Amino acid sequence: NQEVSFGGTSGTLRLRGTSSEGTATGGNDYSTITFADDQVKVACTGEIRTLQNYDNYKTVETGNARFCRLFEHCEALTSAPALPATTLADNCYSFMFIGCTSLVNAPELPATTLADNCYTYMFNGCTSLVNAPELPATTLAGWCCLYMFGNCTSLKKAPALPATTLAVGCYYFMFNKCTSLVDAPELPATTLADRCYYAMFYGCSSLVNAPELPATTLAYRCYQYMFYNCKSLTSVTMLAPSGQINNNSFSAWLYYAGTKDGISRTLKVEDADAYNALKDLETDCLPENWQTGQCTVKDSKDNPIQ
């Protein structure tokens, strides 16, 4: 550990390095930056690759560079360095800004091909974060966005998620307890992966409209807990055919959802067979408030299902 004074008459603090692996090698071998006084806010500028090779940072290879936990629980941090790499390593940014409660703006994340666990817990607990960075990635990896924005209680807008080929656990608990999130991003994939949307919007108590779920090929626990305790939820569209509907994919996906006083609910499914298949599952797969009598149920052509 080394303590360095900066700010005021001490000037700014500039960090640079020559490590091809960044500031971590994975596991428990990593470096962190902490600030002694959380009441004094710190703006970090520049870009992260200067810690790899400050002379040639714009062309340095990033495929083995990791910066996991670098700013872990830095409550003084208000802005982050740029993260321009398009080639990522597994776990490269995992836990990087977890608990940075003063961070308002997230850095851009331009990578279109992700790596295993690359964004895991990256902004978890960033309670001042209002806007998420764009996520243009079209090639996902295992658990790449696990808990990425969990407990970001000020987050009002989610990024677009254009990927159509998913990976195991890719969006697992991604927006867990984002209690200010009102609208969800589109989810265009038609073939799902194991646990891809597991608890994705768990506890998003302000979420009003669920994203349309056009997938016709489901996977193990793909929707489990997806909208659990989304008590403001008013509409759900899920278009899987009856033959794909089973207990493990839908367990508790709408549990405690749409329970806010005074709201109405609409459920749209492929057809009557799909609705009956849902209703015949275990009791937590289609709660009574999402069944006919307490909910408007329609097929994919907007015909009512009684």
Side-chain angles (χ1 to χ4, degrees):
N1 296 335
Q2 184 174 358
E3 186 170 315
V4 178
S5 297
F6 69 98
T9 58
S10 297
T12 58
L13 174 65
R14 299 185 179 186
L15 301 177
R16 64 184 188 178
T18 54
S19 171
S20 62
E21 294 184 339
T23 58
T25 57
N28 294 316
D29 188 5
Y30 56 86
S31 298
T32 59
I33 297 172
T34 58
F35 304 106
D37 187 353
D38 291 337
Q39 301 305 309
V40 177
K41 302 307 178 187
V42 178
C44 185
T45 59
E47 70 136 283
I48 203 70
R49 292 179 299 180
T50 57
L51 297 180
Q52 284 186 261
N53 186 330
Y54 61 87
D55 281 329
N56 300 295
Y57 66 91
K58 290 185 178 180
T59 58
V60 70
E61 295 291 331
T62 57
N64 291 313
R66 296 175 178 84
F67 302 94
C68 41
R69 299 184 184 273
L70 184 60
F71 295 99
E72 180 177 26
H73 297 299
C74 285
E75 296 181 8
L77 189 71
T78 61
S79 63
L83 306 176
T86 55
T87 301
L88 305 184
D90 62 272
N91 292 286
C92 56
Y93 302 139
S94 61
F95 296 87
M96 190 173 184
F97 302 104
I98 186 173
C100 290
T101 55
S102 298
L103 186 67
V104 176
N105 296 306
E108 294 183 8
L109 298 172
T112 56
T113 299
L114 303 188
D116 289 351
N117 294 98
C118 59
Y119 299 148
T120 291
Y121 282 90
M122 187 175 182
F123 301 104
N124 192 283
C126 291
T127 53
S128 296
L129 192 67
V130 176
N131 296 309
E134 293 185 11
L135 294 177
T138 53
T139 301
L140 305 184
W143 314 100
C144 55
C145 298
L146 180 148
Y147 282 99
M148 185 177 183
F149 299 104
N151 296 293
C152 288
T153 53
S154 297
L155 188 68
K156 294 182 178 180
K157 185 178 180 180
L161 301 174
T164 55
T165 302
L166 306 185
V168 59
C170 54
Y171 298 138
Y172 190 99
F173 276 103
M174 186 176 184
F175 300 103
N176 173 53
K177 296 182 181 178
C178 288
T179 53
S180 296
L181 190 66
V182 175
D183 296 308
E186 293 184 14
L187 299 175
T190 56
T191 298
L192 303 189
D194 288 0
R195 289 167 284 191
C196 58
Y197 299 142
Y198 185 104
M200 187 175 182
F201 301 101
Y202 188 109
C204 290
S205 54
S206 297
L207 188 68
V208 174
N209 298 305
E212 181 174 309
L213 303 175
T216 53
T217 302
L218 305 189
Y220 180 71
R221 301 193 186 282
C222 57
Y223 294 143
Q224 188 171 16
Y225 292 105
M226 188 174 185
F227 303 110
Y228 187 99
N229 206 27
C230 292
K231 53 190 175 183
S232 298
L233 199 64
T234 62
S235 66
V236 175
T237 297
M238 191 286 299
L239 300 177
S242 58
Q244 290 286 312
I245 293 173
N246 57 72
N247 287 315
N248 69 54
S249 293
F250 290 90
S251 178
W253 74 308
L254 289 173
Y255 221 52
Y256 300 118
T259 56
K260 188 176 179 180
D261 290 343
I263 66 171
S264 59
R265 293 165 294 277
T266 300
L267 173 66
K268 182 182 286 190
V269 292
E270 176 61 22
D271 51 29
D273 288 342
Y275 172 69
N276 289 326
L278 272 174
K279 193 169 68 169
D280 290 343
L281 298 179
E282 294 177 356
T283 55
D284 69 344
C285 293
L286 193 66
E288 287 186 5
N289 64 321
W290 288 95
Q291 297 181 25
T292 56
Q294 298 187 41
C295 175
T296 299
V297 181
K298 300 179 179 180
D299 67 17
S300 59
K301 297 179 180 179
D302 282 331
N303 297 313
I305 295 175
Q306 302 298 331

